[in-house]
Amino acid sequence: MKIAYKTLDDVNVAGKRVLLRVDLNVPVKNGLVTDTMRIDRIVPTVQELKKKGARIILLSHFGRPKGKIVREMSLRPVLRPLQSALGGESLVFSEDCIGPPAEQASKRLKDGEVALFENLRFHGGEERNDPVFARALAASGQIYVNDAFAAAHRAHASVAAITKFLPSVAGRLMQAELVTLERILESPERPLAAIIGGAKISTKLELLGNLTSKVNLLVIGGGMANTFLDAAGIEVGASMCERRMADEANRITMVAKQNNCEIVLPVDAVVAGQLAANTRTVTVPINKVPKQGMILDIGPESVKVIEAKLAECKSLVWNGPMCAFETPPFDAGTTAVAHAVARLTRVKKLISVAGGGDTVAALSKAGVIGDFTYVSTAGGAFLEWIEGKELPGITALSGK
Ligand code: 3PG
Ligand code: MG
Protein backbone atom coordinates (compact mmCIF):
# COMPACT_ATOMS: atom_id res chain seq x y z
CA MET A 1 0.00 0.00 0.00
CA LYS A 2 1.73 3.19 -1.17
CA ILE A 3 1.02 6.38 0.74
CA ALA A 4 2.46 9.79 -0.12
CA TYR A 5 4.32 11.57 2.65
CA LYS A 6 6.76 14.46 2.95
CA THR A 7 10.39 13.99 3.89
CA LEU A 8 13.32 16.02 5.23
CA ASP A 9 13.74 17.34 1.69
CA ASP A 10 10.48 19.26 2.06
CA VAL A 11 11.20 21.25 5.22
CA ASN A 12 13.71 23.88 6.30
CA VAL A 13 14.98 22.84 9.72
CA ALA A 14 17.81 25.35 10.22
CA GLY A 15 17.59 26.87 13.70
CA LYS A 16 14.28 25.09 14.33
CA ARG A 17 13.33 22.83 17.23
CA VAL A 18 12.65 19.45 15.63
CA LEU A 19 10.73 16.76 17.49
CA LEU A 20 12.20 13.53 16.18
CA ARG A 21 10.06 10.49 17.09
CA VAL A 22 12.33 7.46 17.18
CA ASP A 23 11.93 3.92 18.49
CA LEU A 24 14.46 3.45 21.26
CA ASN A 25 12.56 0.47 22.64
CA VAL A 26 15.81 -1.52 22.68
CA PRO A 27 16.58 -4.67 24.67
CA VAL A 28 18.07 -3.79 28.08
CA LYS A 29 19.45 -6.30 30.59
CA ASN A 30 20.68 -5.22 34.04
CA GLY A 31 20.62 -1.59 32.95
CA LEU A 32 22.70 -2.25 29.82
CA VAL A 33 21.53 -2.07 26.21
CA THR A 34 22.19 -5.51 24.68
CA ASP A 35 21.46 -4.64 21.04
CA THR A 36 21.99 -1.21 19.50
CA MET A 37 20.46 -1.72 16.05
CA ARG A 38 17.56 0.66 16.65
CA ILE A 39 20.00 3.28 17.95
CA ASP A 40 22.48 2.88 15.08
CA ARG A 41 19.80 3.10 12.43
CA ILE A 42 18.55 6.57 13.49
CA VAL A 43 22.04 8.07 13.30
CA PRO A 44 21.80 9.22 9.64
CA THR A 45 18.64 11.23 10.36
CA VAL A 46 20.11 12.81 13.48
CA GLN A 47 23.39 13.64 11.72
CA GLU A 48 21.56 15.20 8.77
CA LEU A 49 19.45 17.34 11.11
CA LYS A 50 22.57 18.40 13.03
CA LYS A 51 24.36 19.33 9.85
CA LYS A 52 21.38 21.42 8.80
CA GLY A 53 21.49 23.29 12.12
CA ALA A 54 18.32 21.90 13.70
CA ARG A 55 17.81 21.65 17.46
CA ILE A 56 16.89 18.04 17.89
CA ILE A 57 14.57 16.58 20.51
CA LEU A 58 14.32 12.80 20.55
CA LEU A 59 11.00 11.31 21.62
CA SER A 60 10.51 7.60 22.28
CA HIS A 61 8.56 5.05 24.24
CA PHE A 62 10.22 2.29 26.20
CA GLY A 63 8.50 -0.88 27.42
CA ARG A 64 4.88 -0.79 28.52
CA PRO A 65 4.67 1.28 31.75
CA LYS A 66 0.96 1.90 31.08
CA GLY A 67 0.78 5.61 31.90
CA LYS A 68 2.79 5.47 35.12
CA ILE A 69 6.36 6.35 36.00
CA VAL A 70 8.18 3.03 36.25
CA ARG A 71 11.83 3.54 37.15
CA GLU A 72 12.97 0.36 35.35
CA MET A 73 11.44 1.73 32.14
CA SER A 74 13.36 4.99 32.08
CA LEU A 75 15.12 5.85 28.84
CA ARG A 76 18.24 6.79 30.81
CA PRO A 77 20.14 3.54 30.04
CA VAL A 78 19.81 4.42 26.37
CA LEU A 79 21.56 7.78 26.83
CA ARG A 80 25.14 6.51 26.87
CA PRO A 81 24.94 4.17 23.81
CA LEU A 82 23.06 6.93 22.01
CA GLN A 83 25.84 9.39 22.80
CA SER A 84 28.52 7.06 21.52
CA ALA A 85 26.52 6.28 18.36
CA LEU A 86 26.43 10.03 17.72
CA GLY A 87 30.18 10.34 18.01
CA GLY A 88 30.55 10.95 21.73
CA GLU A 89 28.89 14.33 22.16
CA SER A 90 26.92 14.84 25.38
CA LEU A 91 23.14 15.00 25.17
CA VAL A 92 20.62 16.91 27.22
CA PHE A 93 18.20 14.65 29.13
CA SER A 94 14.76 15.81 30.25
CA GLU A 95 13.06 13.94 33.11
CA ASP A 96 9.68 14.49 31.49
CA CYS A 97 8.56 14.68 27.88
CA ILE A 98 6.09 17.51 28.57
CA GLY A 99 5.77 20.41 31.00
CA PRO A 100 8.47 22.62 32.55
CA PRO A 101 11.41 20.12 32.31
CA ALA A 102 10.72 19.60 28.60
CA GLU A 103 10.27 23.32 28.04
CA GLN A 104 13.55 24.18 29.79
CA ALA A 105 15.51 21.47 27.96
CA SER A 106 14.20 22.53 24.56
CA LYS A 107 14.92 26.21 25.25
CA ARG A 108 18.51 25.37 26.25
CA LEU A 109 19.26 23.63 22.96
CA LYS A 110 21.52 25.39 20.46
CA ASP A 111 21.68 24.73 16.72
CA GLY A 112 22.95 21.20 16.09
CA GLU A 113 22.43 20.03 19.68
CA VAL A 114 20.43 16.97 20.73
CA ALA A 115 18.12 16.29 23.68
CA LEU A 116 16.44 13.07 24.76
CA PHE A 117 13.09 13.26 26.54
CA GLU A 118 11.94 10.66 29.08
CA ASN A 119 9.64 7.76 28.14
CA LEU A 120 6.46 8.96 26.39
CA ARG A 121 4.44 6.10 27.91
CA PHE A 122 4.90 7.49 31.45
CA HIS A 123 1.85 9.51 30.39
CA GLY A 124 -1.44 7.70 29.76
CA GLY A 125 -2.26 10.20 27.01
CA GLU A 126 0.40 8.66 24.75
CA GLU A 127 -1.34 5.31 24.22
CA ARG A 128 -4.78 6.96 24.23
CA ASN A 129 -3.71 9.14 21.31
CA ASP A 130 -4.91 12.03 23.44
CA PRO A 131 -4.90 15.36 21.55
CA VAL A 132 -4.29 17.30 24.79
CA PHE A 133 -1.14 15.28 25.46
CA ALA A 134 -0.12 15.57 21.80
CA ARG A 135 -0.48 19.35 21.98
CA ALA A 136 1.67 19.43 25.13
CA LEU A 137 4.35 17.41 23.32
CA ALA A 138 4.14 19.60 20.24
CA ALA A 139 4.75 22.67 22.42
CA SER A 140 8.47 21.76 22.60
CA GLY A 141 8.97 21.75 18.85
CA GLN A 142 8.32 23.53 15.57
CA ILE A 143 8.62 20.62 13.16
CA TYR A 144 7.79 16.95 13.67
CA VAL A 145 9.85 14.18 12.06
CA ASN A 146 8.79 10.55 12.40
CA ASP A 147 11.64 8.04 12.16
CA ALA A 148 9.90 5.34 14.22
CA PHE A 149 8.75 2.83 11.62
CA ALA A 150 8.84 0.21 14.40
CA ALA A 151 6.02 2.09 16.17
CA ALA A 152 4.03 3.03 13.06
CA HIS A 153 1.38 0.39 13.80
CA ARG A 154 0.42 2.18 17.02
CA ALA A 155 -2.14 5.01 16.88
CA HIS A 156 -0.44 6.81 19.76
CA ALA A 157 -0.18 10.54 20.45
CA SER A 158 3.51 10.89 19.49
CA VAL A 159 2.88 8.95 16.26
CA ALA A 160 -0.58 10.07 15.16
CA ALA A 161 -2.29 12.97 17.03
CA ILE A 162 0.87 15.09 17.12
CA THR A 163 0.77 15.51 13.34
CA LYS A 164 -2.30 17.72 13.79
CA PHE A 165 -0.21 20.32 15.57
CA LEU A 166 3.06 20.56 13.61
CA PRO A 167 4.31 20.30 10.03
CA SER A 168 5.10 16.58 9.83
CA VAL A 169 7.54 14.62 7.69
CA ALA A 170 9.21 11.20 7.54
CA GLY A 171 12.82 10.78 8.67
CA ARG A 172 15.47 8.92 6.68
CA LEU A 173 15.05 5.60 8.52
CA MET A 174 11.28 5.69 8.05
CA GLN A 175 11.87 6.39 4.36
CA ALA A 176 14.46 3.63 4.03
CA GLU A 177 12.17 1.06 5.69
CA LEU A 178 9.20 1.93 3.50
CA VAL A 179 11.14 2.21 0.25
CA THR A 180 13.04 -1.03 0.83
CA LEU A 181 10.03 -3.06 1.94
CA GLU A 182 8.06 -1.76 -1.06
CA ARG A 183 10.90 -2.55 -3.46
CA ILE A 184 11.35 -6.10 -2.20
CA LEU A 185 7.87 -7.12 -1.13
CA GLU A 186 5.29 -5.11 -3.06
CA SER A 187 5.52 -7.58 -5.93
CA PRO A 188 7.99 -10.12 -4.57
CA GLU A 189 9.88 -12.66 -6.60
CA ARG A 190 8.08 -15.97 -6.14
CA PRO A 191 7.85 -18.47 -4.65
CA LEU A 192 7.72 -16.31 -1.51
CA ALA A 193 8.25 -17.98 1.86
CA ALA A 194 7.57 -16.79 5.39
CA ILE A 195 9.10 -18.15 8.56
CA ILE A 196 6.90 -17.27 11.52
CA GLY A 197 7.91 -18.27 15.01
CA GLY A 198 6.57 -17.36 18.39
CA ALA A 199 5.06 -18.90 21.45
CA LYS A 200 1.32 -18.59 20.96
CA ILE A 201 -0.92 -18.82 17.95
CA SER A 202 -3.69 -17.00 19.83
CA THR A 203 -1.74 -13.76 19.34
CA LYS A 204 -0.89 -14.51 15.69
CA LEU A 205 -4.07 -16.09 14.33
CA GLU A 206 -5.00 -13.19 12.12
CA LEU A 207 -1.44 -12.84 10.88
CA LEU A 208 -1.16 -16.53 9.98
CA GLY A 209 -4.52 -16.45 8.22
CA ASN A 210 -3.58 -13.35 6.24
CA LEU A 211 -0.18 -14.73 5.31
CA THR A 212 -1.62 -17.88 3.74
CA SER A 213 -3.06 -15.71 0.97
CA LYS A 214 0.22 -13.84 0.44
CA VAL A 215 2.99 -16.42 0.67
CA ASN A 216 3.59 -19.72 -1.11
CA LEU A 217 5.34 -21.42 1.78
CA LEU A 218 4.73 -20.89 5.49
CA VAL A 219 7.25 -22.33 7.93
CA ILE A 220 5.81 -22.35 11.43
CA GLY A 221 8.17 -22.57 14.38
CA GLY A 222 8.31 -22.02 18.12
CA GLY A 223 5.51 -22.95 20.50
CA MET A 224 2.98 -22.24 17.73
CA ALA A 225 4.19 -25.28 15.80
CA ASN A 226 3.23 -27.50 18.77
CA THR A 227 -0.35 -26.25 18.62
CA PHE A 228 -0.51 -27.17 14.93
CA LEU A 229 1.04 -30.59 15.60
CA ASP A 230 -1.37 -31.26 18.48
CA ALA A 231 -4.30 -30.21 16.30
CA ALA A 232 -3.14 -32.74 13.70
CA GLY A 233 -3.24 -35.48 16.34
CA ILE A 234 0.48 -35.63 17.10
CA GLU A 235 1.50 -36.11 20.73
CA VAL A 236 3.50 -33.09 21.95
CA GLY A 237 3.97 -34.30 25.55
CA ALA A 238 4.52 -31.53 28.10
CA SER A 239 5.43 -28.95 25.44
CA MET A 240 4.04 -25.45 25.34
CA CYS A 241 0.80 -25.88 23.39
CA GLU A 242 -2.54 -24.10 23.19
CA ARG A 243 -4.82 -27.13 23.03
CA ARG A 244 -7.99 -25.03 22.95
CA MET A 245 -6.78 -23.43 19.70
CA ALA A 246 -6.84 -26.74 17.81
CA ASP A 247 -9.87 -25.80 15.71
CA GLU A 248 -8.28 -22.48 14.78
CA ALA A 249 -5.04 -24.19 13.81
CA ASN A 250 -6.93 -26.68 11.62
CA ARG A 251 -8.88 -23.84 10.04
CA ILE A 252 -5.63 -22.09 9.10
CA THR A 253 -4.31 -25.36 7.67
CA MET A 254 -7.46 -25.65 5.55
CA VAL A 255 -7.35 -22.03 4.34
CA ALA A 256 -3.68 -22.51 3.46
CA LYS A 257 -4.58 -25.52 1.31
CA GLN A 258 -7.25 -23.52 -0.49
CA ASN A 259 -4.69 -20.78 -1.13
CA ASN A 260 -2.02 -23.19 -2.36
CA CYS A 261 0.18 -22.19 0.53
CA GLU A 262 2.29 -25.04 1.84
CA ILE A 263 2.64 -25.17 5.62
CA VAL A 264 5.89 -26.63 6.93
CA LEU A 265 6.00 -28.01 10.48
CA PRO A 266 8.93 -29.66 12.29
CA VAL A 267 9.57 -33.33 11.45
CA ASP A 268 11.81 -33.89 14.46
CA ALA A 269 12.39 -32.20 17.79
CA VAL A 270 14.94 -31.66 20.52
CA VAL A 271 13.21 -32.62 23.74
CA ALA A 272 14.10 -32.12 27.40
CA GLY A 273 12.43 -32.45 30.78
CA GLN A 274 12.88 -28.77 31.53
CA LEU A 275 13.82 -25.49 29.89
CA ALA A 276 17.26 -24.96 31.39
CA ALA A 277 20.67 -24.19 29.95
CA ASN A 278 22.68 -27.24 28.91
CA THR A 279 20.15 -29.68 30.32
CA ARG A 280 20.04 -33.31 29.05
CA THR A 281 18.23 -33.58 25.69
CA VAL A 282 17.09 -36.22 23.23
CA THR A 283 16.34 -35.72 19.56
CA VAL A 284 13.33 -37.67 18.33
CA PRO A 285 11.12 -37.92 15.25
CA ILE A 286 8.10 -35.67 15.75
CA ASN A 287 5.71 -38.60 16.34
CA LYS A 288 7.91 -39.98 19.14
CA VAL A 289 7.83 -37.14 21.66
CA PRO A 290 7.72 -38.71 25.16
CA LYS A 291 4.74 -37.83 27.40
CA GLN A 292 6.92 -36.01 29.97
CA GLY A 293 9.11 -34.30 27.38
CA MET A 294 9.05 -30.69 26.22
CA ILE A 295 9.83 -29.77 22.62
CA LEU A 296 12.38 -26.96 22.93
CA ASP A 297 13.97 -26.85 19.49
CA ILE A 298 13.54 -28.21 16.00
CA GLY A 299 15.87 -31.10 15.16
CA PRO A 300 18.45 -31.48 12.36
CA GLU A 301 15.98 -33.24 10.02
CA SER A 302 13.61 -30.27 10.26
CA VAL A 303 16.49 -27.92 9.44
CA LYS A 304 17.23 -30.02 6.34
CA VAL A 305 13.60 -29.93 5.24
CA ILE A 306 13.35 -26.17 5.77
CA GLU A 307 16.60 -25.53 3.92
CA ALA A 308 15.48 -27.68 0.98
CA LYS A 309 12.12 -25.91 0.79
CA LEU A 310 13.74 -22.47 1.00
CA ALA A 311 16.16 -23.44 -1.77
CA GLU A 312 13.12 -23.66 -4.05
CA CYS A 313 11.93 -20.17 -3.07
CA LYS A 314 13.09 -16.80 -4.34
CA SER A 315 12.10 -14.54 -1.43
CA LEU A 316 11.68 -14.92 2.31
CA VAL A 317 10.28 -12.89 5.18
CA TRP A 318 11.26 -14.03 8.66
CA ASN A 319 9.79 -13.07 12.02
CA GLY A 320 10.18 -15.12 15.18
CA PRO A 321 12.70 -17.74 16.28
CA MET A 322 12.14 -21.48 15.71
CA CYS A 323 12.55 -22.38 19.36
CA ALA A 324 13.70 -21.35 22.83
CA PHE A 325 16.77 -19.74 21.28
CA GLU A 326 17.82 -17.70 24.35
CA THR A 327 18.68 -20.89 26.23
CA PRO A 328 21.47 -23.04 24.78
CA PRO A 329 21.51 -25.67 23.37
CA PHE A 330 18.00 -24.78 22.13
CA ASP A 331 19.40 -22.04 19.89
CA ALA A 332 20.86 -24.61 17.49
CA GLY A 333 17.82 -24.98 15.21
CA THR A 334 17.26 -21.25 14.74
CA THR A 335 20.98 -20.72 14.20
CA ALA A 336 21.15 -23.50 11.60
CA VAL A 337 18.17 -22.06 9.68
CA ALA A 338 19.75 -18.59 9.91
CA HIS A 339 22.98 -19.94 8.40
CA ALA A 340 21.02 -21.68 5.64
CA VAL A 341 19.21 -18.44 4.75
CA ALA A 342 22.49 -16.54 4.86
CA ARG A 343 24.11 -19.06 2.47
CA LEU A 344 21.20 -18.93 0.01
CA THR A 345 21.23 -15.14 0.13
CA ARG A 346 24.99 -14.90 -0.43
CA VAL A 347 24.78 -16.99 -3.60
CA LYS A 348 21.88 -14.80 -4.77
CA LYS A 349 19.33 -17.61 -4.72
CA LEU A 350 17.18 -15.93 -2.09
CA ILE A 351 16.08 -12.41 -1.20
CA SER A 352 15.82 -12.44 2.59
CA VAL A 353 14.06 -9.90 4.79
CA ALA A 354 13.84 -10.21 8.57
CA GLY A 355 12.31 -8.15 11.34
CA GLY A 356 11.46 -8.27 15.03
CA GLY A 357 13.48 -7.98 18.23
CA ASP A 358 13.90 -11.71 18.95
CA THR A 359 14.61 -12.47 15.31
CA VAL A 360 17.27 -9.81 15.04
CA ALA A 361 18.83 -11.00 18.33
CA ALA A 362 18.90 -14.57 16.99
CA LEU A 363 20.42 -13.52 13.64
CA SER A 364 22.91 -11.36 15.44
CA LYS A 365 23.90 -14.27 17.72
CA ALA A 366 24.31 -16.41 14.59
CA GLY A 367 26.50 -13.67 13.07
CA VAL A 368 24.51 -13.43 9.84
CA ILE A 369 22.80 -10.01 9.99
CA GLY A 370 25.08 -8.67 7.26
CA ASP A 371 24.20 -11.56 4.95
CA PHE A 372 20.48 -10.83 4.85
CA THR A 373 19.14 -8.68 2.03
CA TYR A 374 17.41 -6.41 4.54
CA VAL A 375 16.79 -6.35 8.27
CA SER A 376 13.97 -4.12 9.47
CA THR A 377 14.10 -2.34 12.83
CA ALA A 378 10.43 -3.19 13.28
CA GLY A 379 8.62 -6.25 14.58
CA GLY A 380 4.88 -5.74 14.85
CA ALA A 381 4.85 -2.90 12.32
CA PHE A 382 6.87 -5.01 9.87
CA LEU A 383 4.31 -7.82 10.07
CA GLU A 384 1.34 -5.48 9.73
CA TRP A 385 2.98 -3.86 6.71
CA ILE A 386 3.45 -7.30 5.12
CA GLU A 387 -0.19 -8.15 5.82
CA GLY A 388 -1.15 -5.02 3.91
CA LYS A 389 -2.70 -3.32 6.92
CA GLU A 390 -2.90 0.43 7.23
CA LEU A 391 -0.24 1.78 9.62
CA PRO A 392 -1.60 4.77 11.60
CA GLY A 393 1.83 6.39 11.81
CA ILE A 394 2.18 6.43 8.03
CA THR A 395 -1.39 7.53 7.39
CA ALA A 396 -0.86 10.43 9.83
CA LEU A 397 2.20 11.58 7.84
CA SER A 398 0.12 11.68 4.69
CA GLY A 399 -2.11 14.27 6.33
CA LYS A 400 -5.21 12.10 5.88
C1 3PG B 1 8.27 -2.85 19.27
O1 3PG B 1 9.28 -3.08 19.92
O2 3PG B 1 7.66 -3.72 18.63
C2 3PG B 1 7.81 -1.43 19.17
O3 3PG B 1 8.67 -0.60 19.88
C3 3PG B 1 6.39 -1.29 19.66
O4 3PG B 1 6.29 -1.61 21.01
P1 3PG B 1 4.90 -2.09 21.60
O5 3PG B 1 4.64 -3.45 21.02
O6 3PG B 1 5.09 -2.12 23.10
O7 3PG B 1 3.86 -1.09 21.18
MG1 MG C 1 6.13 -5.41 19.99
Side-chain angles (χ1 to χ4, degrees):
M1 199 183 4
K2 264 202 176 107
I3 290 183
Y5 48 84
K6 291 190 171 147
T7 71
L8 287 178
D9 299 323
D10 302 304
V11 280
N12 181 3
V13 298
K16 301 259 177 63
R17 279 172 283 118
V18 172
L19 293 180
L20 178 58
R21 175 57 159 104
V22 289
D23 191 327
L24 297 174
N25 192 22
V26 292
V28 171
K29 219 179 194 172
N30 304 325
L32 291 176
V33 173
T34 54
D35 185 88
T36 59
M37 179 174 83
R38 283 185 173 172
I39 296 173
D40 301 334
R41 296 276 290 274
I42 60 163
V43 168
T45 302
V46 179
Q47 295 295 18
E48 178 173 341
L49 287 169
K50 280 167 70 68
K51 226 187 250 153
K52 289 178 168 171
R55 305 169 179 206
I56 303 140
I57 296 161
L58 300 174
L59 303 177
S60 179
H61 70 282
F62 185 86
R64 293 176 178 170
K66 302 232 177 294
K68 286 198 208 74
I69 297 176
V70 179
R71 225 171 43 92
E72 296 71 40
M73 292 183 198
S74 167
L75 272 168
R76 265 194 189 280
V78 177
L79 203 54
R80 204 186 282 252
L82 187 60
Q83 279 175 188
S84 40
L86 291 173
E89 75 165 294
S90 67
L91 310 183
V92 176
F93 186 77
S94 167
E95 300 292 343
D96 199 346
C97 59
I98 57 170
E103 207 174 299
Q104 276 161 27
S106 68
K107 276 203 187 120
R108 247 173 58 202
L109 282 180
K110 300 197 183 69
D111 293 359
E113 287 184 350
V114 185
L116 172 65
F117 282 9
E118 185 55 288
N119 195 346
L120 293 158
R121 290 187 185 171
F122 283 178
H123 293 271
E126 166 66 357
E127 295 201 49
R128 282 199 310 271
N129 202 20
D130 177 4
V132 177
F133 176 68
R135 189 199 292 270
L137 274 180
S140 293
Q142 295 160 293
I143 294 174
Y144 169 77
V145 179
N146 188 349
D147 226 8
F149 176 65
H153 59 321
R154 305 288 183 221
H156 293 173
S158 68
V159 174
I162 195 168
T163 61
K164 300 271 185 276
F165 301 102
L166 292 173
S168 303
V169 305
R172 297 305 182 197
L173 173 59
M174 176 70 89
Q175 257 185 293
E177 294 267 19
L178 290 171
V179 168
T180 312
L181 291 179
E182 267 161 28
R183 178 169 56 78
I184 301 178
L185 296 173
E186 196 97 288
S187 43
E189 291 198 36
R190 289 184 182 271
L192 166 64
I195 300 179
I196 303 293
K200 294 184 172 171
I201 74 161
S202 50
T203 59
K204 292 201 170 167
L205 271 182
E206 197 192 345
L207 166 75
L208 293 172
N210 285 344
L211 280 181
T212 58
S213 67
K214 299 214 179 306
V215 306
N216 308 99
L217 183 82
L218 181 56
V219 180
I220 298 176
M224 285 194 307
N226 303 336
T227 302
F228 277 87
L229 292 166
D230 168 68
I234 293 168
E235 172 66 56
V236 296
S239 308
M240 167 185 287
C241 175
E242 292 177 287
R243 293 212 154 74
R244 59 184 177 84
M245 301 302 287
D247 288 347
E248 298 290 350
N250 285 331
R251 194 187 53 81
I252 290 169
T253 307
M254 210 176 64
V255 173
K257 259 201 197 104
Q258 285 161 0
N259 289 330
N260 277 325
C261 166
E262 184 185 354
I263 290 187
V264 176
L265 292 170
V267 296
D268 62 346
V270 180
V271 174
Q274 54 170 352
L275 174 56
N278 306 314
T279 187
R280 213 169 61 87
T281 68
V282 285
T283 302
V284 295
I286 205 66
N287 55 2
K288 295 267 155 54
V289 174
K291 272 232 165 358
Q292 312 301 324
M294 291 166 76
I295 301 174
L296 293 168
D297 195 4
I298 58 172
E301 289 307 315
S302 305
V303 173
K304 271 189 211 154
V305 169
I306 294 169
E307 180 164 14
K309 298 274 180 198
L310 291 180
E312 290 164 18
C313 291
K314 291 207 166 129
S315 323
L316 165 72
V317 289
W318 184 346
N319 175 271
M322 303 308 300
C323 52
F325 85 99
E326 313 87 345
T327 312
F330 307 114
D331 53 342
T334 304
T335 302
V337 175
H339 282 292
V341 172
R343 265 195 306 278
L344 290 167
T345 310
R346 277 197 304 267
V347 297
K348 306 249 181 290
K349 281 198 171 155
L350 193 66
I351 295 165
S352 51
V353 184
D358 285 347
T359 315
V360 171
L363 299 185
S364 168
K365 202 164 160 189
V368 296
I369 295 250
D371 290 318
F372 274 59
T373 311
Y374 186 69
V375 177
S376 174
T377 56
F382 167 75
L383 291 174
E384 292 197 17
W385 187 92
I386 289 167
E387 286 180 80
K389 286 192 178 165
E390 180 177 329
L391 302 181
I394 317 293
T395 310
L397 285 181
S398 77
K400 290 202 178 99

